[in-house]
Amino acid sequence: MTFSNVLLVTTVTCTALMAGLFYSYSCSVVLGLRSLPDANYIMAMQSINRAIQNPIFFIGFLGTLLLLPFNTYMNYSQPLPVTFWLFLSATILYLLGVFCVTAFGNIPLNNALEKFNLLNASSDTIKLQRASFEGRWNNLNTIRTFASILSLILLIIGCINSDKSQLPFSK
């Protein structure tokens, strides 16, 4: 087991964990929260948004952000192999579709929701707060889900293709 192989396994594992997190959230948590009354929904999302900020999440989320480009660099050679392009594509997808969407979309929504004072709000204000948050946040999470899954697929194709000059499904 070479350093390059350990790096690749770690990169694929972190990417898979992030794809699984976003996918499972979309398939379960979003559906469960949807049925909650407005005040309960806001309270639950405030709690979830605080709870996810933990070292285990940050290792996977930021670890993937660091490992993908490093792994891409480790597969750089001349002429540029298909594996390099697959890993570079996975890196760009994760950077833009997961990290940037989170940093510039989900986190600002989370921060605004955190500042919302549920105890002093009327039911109409709570309803408006949920309406301005839920759809936008879920749409952004869908982008993160697809981007992380596509990043993972590109990594897997790159692993399968590691000793070949063509994509595995060509010819």
Side-chain angles (χ1 to χ4, degrees), residues 9-19 59-61 63-65 67 94:
V9 168
T10 305
T11 304
V12 172
T13 300
C14 284
T15 307
L17 288 170
M18 295 318 314
I59 288 169
F61 183 72
T64 303
L65 183 65
L67 289 168
Y94 189 87

Side-chain angles (χ1 to χ4, degrees), residues 40-97:
N40 292 22
Y41 172 85
I42 290 175
M43 189 181 314
M45 282 303 293
Q46 287 173 332
S47 179
I48 290 167
N49 292 335
R50 285 189 296 267
I52 198 146
Q53 296 180 50
N54 66 72
I56 295 170
F57 169 75
F58 286 124
I59 288 169
F61 183 72
L62 297 174
T64 303
L65 183 65
L66 298 173
L67 289 168
L68 279 167
F70 190 58
N71 195 71
T72 301
Y73 172 77
M74 294 292 290
N75 283 275
Y76 177 84
S77 64
Q78 291 295 331
L80 293 172
V82 172
T83 302
F84 169 82
W85 292 111
L86 290 166
F87 291 171
L88 180 62
S89 298
T91 300
I92 292 168
L93 259 172
Y94 189 87
L95 172 67
L96 297 177

Side-chain angles (χ1 to χ4, degrees), residues 120-167:
N120 295 329
S122 68
S123 60
D124 287 342
T125 306
I126 293 169
K127 185 181 202 77
L128 285 172
Q129 178 65 33
R130 179 178 184 169
S132 71
F133 175 87
E134 185 175 20
R136 290 180 14 204
W137 196 96
N138 287 341
N139 289 339
L140 292 168
N141 192 62
T142 299
I143 294 168
R144 298 188 303 184
T145 301
F146 281 111
S148 59
I149 290 170
L150 288 173
S151 292
L152 178 61
I153 290 169
L154 290 169
L155 284 175
I156 292 170
I157 293 170
C159 291
I160 293 168
N161 191 58
S162 63
D163 294 330
K164 300 172 185 79
S165 61
Q166 301 177 5
L167 291 172

